Amino acid sequence: MLAPEVETRPSAEQHARDDASYRAQLGYLFDRSVFYREKLGAAGFPSADSAGGLAEIAELPLTEKRELRLTCTADDPIGSHLCAAPSEIVRIYSTSGTTGTPSYIPLTTEDLDNWVTASARSYAASGIAAGQRIVSTYNAGPFVAGAALAAFDRIGLCHIPVGTGNTERLLMAIELLRPEAAVLTPSYAAYLVEAAAERDVDLRGSSVQRVLVAGEPGGGEPAFRAQLEHGWGARVTEAMGVGDIGVSLWGECEEQQGMHLGARGFVHVELIDPETGAALELLDGATGELVLTHLRHRAAPLLRFRTRDHVELWTSPCRCGRTTPRVRCLGRTDDMLILRGVNVFPSAVREVVNAFAPDVSGHILVKPRAPGVKQEPPLPVAVELARDAAPDAALAEAISQRLRGALLFQARVELVPFGSLHRSEYKAKLVER
Ligand SMILES: [Zn+2]
């Protein structure tokens, strides 16, 4: 544990500290943030005092990403939530958004240091420790993942960056430099299991004992994780960040019971009902959309930011001794489909299908018939067969039945030959749009 005093602190004590940080952060927003002064004023909160403390936070309005974007102009490309002077900004990341202009994420020296501190705690939770070697596969470039790489230095690891999309170079680095850990997206981790088999490389027998996955949901789903652990002969844990809030805010420990909040003290966590926006109680097993608030951020702090991540959350202490809340990401709102009132996440479909290994390869593609979120059943799902497996109507029927039983929607399963669905060396595309 990198910061045992913080990570094992009783929750009530942490809450009192966070409440003090939050009140100071609100004061800072009213002083410096044009965006929040206007937004909170319009909602009936003319001052920091009128907004109260953490106990009253759910009375304040939520912040959507598009609201921030709407305030961006040529003169103000970051947006009106920028609080720091240009001389205080030491780094400007961009989001990897696929549409239009990127949105910019500025950081002060202190913000960047806090990001690295939180990220280091999250990654260290996996059990990697100073003196070990880690090979990374992120082409961080302009993206916030760059700050996660600094976390490896902070932990004291020997970091071997090889970048994305060069499988030969990665397999060679593993063979020659013998790292104890590898960090990559779960899709790329799955791709490498197949790539190694095709090249007669013994990944299971390699030096890698820990595979740290991040960047997309899936690494915490039991069947998918089992497949990765079998292929790598290694323990798989996951980490998760939210670009606008912080990099690798969450990281899973060796108990594999969800990702711990590494950003404790820097970020306040809420869950809401994504339909109504109503705050939900943080009980063990609660599910909802993750809403995050900066507690000590300077450059462009956010209040009640909707992350679009649907998570399951636990607040009971973990066997590892940490008292921080834990989450597992169920999927992104953006990927969610609704069939007759039932929310369906493509990563959850993949998880159900994966239970049919070794008959299936683990690759799926959901093919909505209509644009938009609402779909009429049956929902077409292409399921790739394992290498050398023949199509079998009984298998397709069994998968459909299991999907109906587990996820409560009617699917039309189409079995497709091995190798026919796209493999990703970065993030998997599970929905055809
Ligand atoms: Zn734990």
Side-chain angles (χ1 to χ4, degrees):
M1 230 181 272
L2 276 195
E5 191 193 318
V6 179
E7 295 175 69
T8 65
R9 184 177 286 146
S11 298
E13 196 183 312
Q14 184 63 43
H15 190 81
R17 285 168 182 259
D18 287 351
D19 186 61
S21 302
Y22 171 69
R23 288 171 190 265
Q25 181 87 79
L26 274 178
Y28 181 81
L29 290 178
F30 273 96
D31 277 349
R32 299 241 198 156
S33 172
V34 174
F35 179 82
Y36 280 112
R37 210 160 40 226
E38 287 176 358
K39 186 178 172 74
L40 294 173
F45 302 95
S47 65
D49 284 346
S50 68
L54 278 180
E56 291 82 37
I57 193 171
E59 293 166 25
L60 304 185
L62 295 159
T63 302
E64 304 258 9
K65 176 90 175 167
R66 58 176 168 73
E67 287 177 82
L68 301 173
R69 276 179 171 274
L70 284 173
T71 69
C72 295
T73 62
D75 289 336
D76 192 3
I78 292 173
S80 68
H81 62 307
L82 175 64
C83 293
S87 62
E88 297 173 277
I89 306 289
V90 297
R91 187 75 55 89
I92 301 177
Y93 286 115
S94 316
T95 57
S96 53
T98 47
T99 52
T101 48
S103 59
Y104 294 115
I105 298 154
L107 299 170
T108 66
T109 303
E110 190 188 336
D111 293 341
L112 186 57
D113 188 64
N114 290 344
W115 273 29
V116 174
T117 298
S119 184
R121 283 184 206 152
S122 294
Y123 276 114
S126 70
I128 48 169
Q132 297 184 337
R133 290 181 175 177
I134 187 166
V135 63
S136 78
T137 65
Y138 295 139
N139 282 348
F143 309 125
V144 296
L149 303 184
F152 303 143
D153 302 343
R154 181 73 65 89
I155 296 169
L157 298 166
C158 167
H159 178 203
I160 308 162
V162 300
T164 305
N166 195 331
T167 297
E168 308 303 334
R169 185 186 288 258
L170 175 60
L171 292 174
M172 197 182 296
I174 291 174
E175 190 188 329
L176 297 177
L177 300 175
R178 305 190 55 76
E180 283 91 350
V183 57
L184 63 186
T185 61
S187 295
Y188 193 36
Y191 174 91
L192 280 162
V193 171
E194 289 183 359
E198 279 161 15
R199 291 164 177 77
D200 281 325
V201 171
D202 179 17
L203 205 53
R204 278 185 65 80
S206 81
S207 60
V208 176
Q209 291 152 20
R210 299 180 197 282
V211 174
L212 317 183
V213 296
E216 59 179 358
E221 291 160 7
F224 188 53
R225 170 158 26 212
Q227 199 178 32
L228 294 182
E229 293 197 324
H230 178 76
W232 282 81
R235 188 184 288 256
V236 172
T237 53
E238 57 172 349
M240 178 173 85
V242 174
D244 298 82
I245 299 287
V247 70
S248 9
L249 299 166
W250 306 86
E252 197 171 34
C253 72
E254 291 170 284
E255 301 292 336
Q256 298 177 311
Q257 299 293 313
M259 295 174 272
H260 284 283
L261 179 66
R264 180 175 239 186
F266 302 120
V267 165
H268 177 68
V269 177
E270 290 178 87
L271 275 192
I272 61 164
D273 176 329
E275 308 286 320
T276 65
L280 303 172
E281 226 182 313
L282 301 188
L283 301 172
D284 263 10
T287 63
E289 182 181 336
L290 194 59
V291 165
L292 299 174
T293 295
H294 280 129
L295 293 173
R296 327 165 49 147
H297 211 61
R298 309 315 279 178
L302 296 173
L303 176 71
R304 304 199 77 212
F305 181 72
R306 290 189 70 155
T307 64
R308 322 299 286 176
D309 286 316
H310 282 241
V311 300
E312 183 170 5
L313 177 138
W314 298 270
T315 47
S316 55
C318 180
R319 280 195 297 267
C320 72
R322 289 177 182 82
T323 53
T324 46
R326 287 167 285 140
V327 294
R328 175 150 299 146
C329 187
L330 303 173
R332 299 270 306 158
T333 313
D334 311 336
D335 290 337
M336 189 180 80
L337 299 168
I338 301 176
L339 282 107
R340 305 240 162 111
V342 174
N343 297 346
V344 176
F345 291 103
S347 53
V349 173
R350 179 179 62 188
E351 174 64 9
V352 170
V353 170
N354 267 336
F356 288 85
D359 293 333
V360 299
S361 73
H363 298 281
I364 65 142
L365 185 64
V366 177
K367 299 172 155 182
R369 287 179 297 166
V373 173
K374 291 215 164 107
Q375 300 291 321
E376 276 304 307
L379 179 67
V381 178
V383 172
E384 196 183 278
L385 290 162
R387 203 186 295 266
D388 307 323
D392 171 356
L395 176 63
E397 179 54 27
I399 294 173
S400 296
Q401 294 270 3
R402 187 79 64 88
L403 285 170
R404 194 174 321 161
L407 303 178
L408 310 174
F409 77 96
Q410 196 191 342
R412 194 178 70 217
V413 172
E414 176 201 1
L415 298 175
V416 300
F418 181 82
S420 56
L421 293 183
H422 177 70
R423 265 71 170 154
S424 173
E425 294 179 44
Y426 189 43
K427 298 185 189 184
K429 188 168 156 257
L430 300 181
V431 184
E432 184 179 78
R433 286 289 193 191

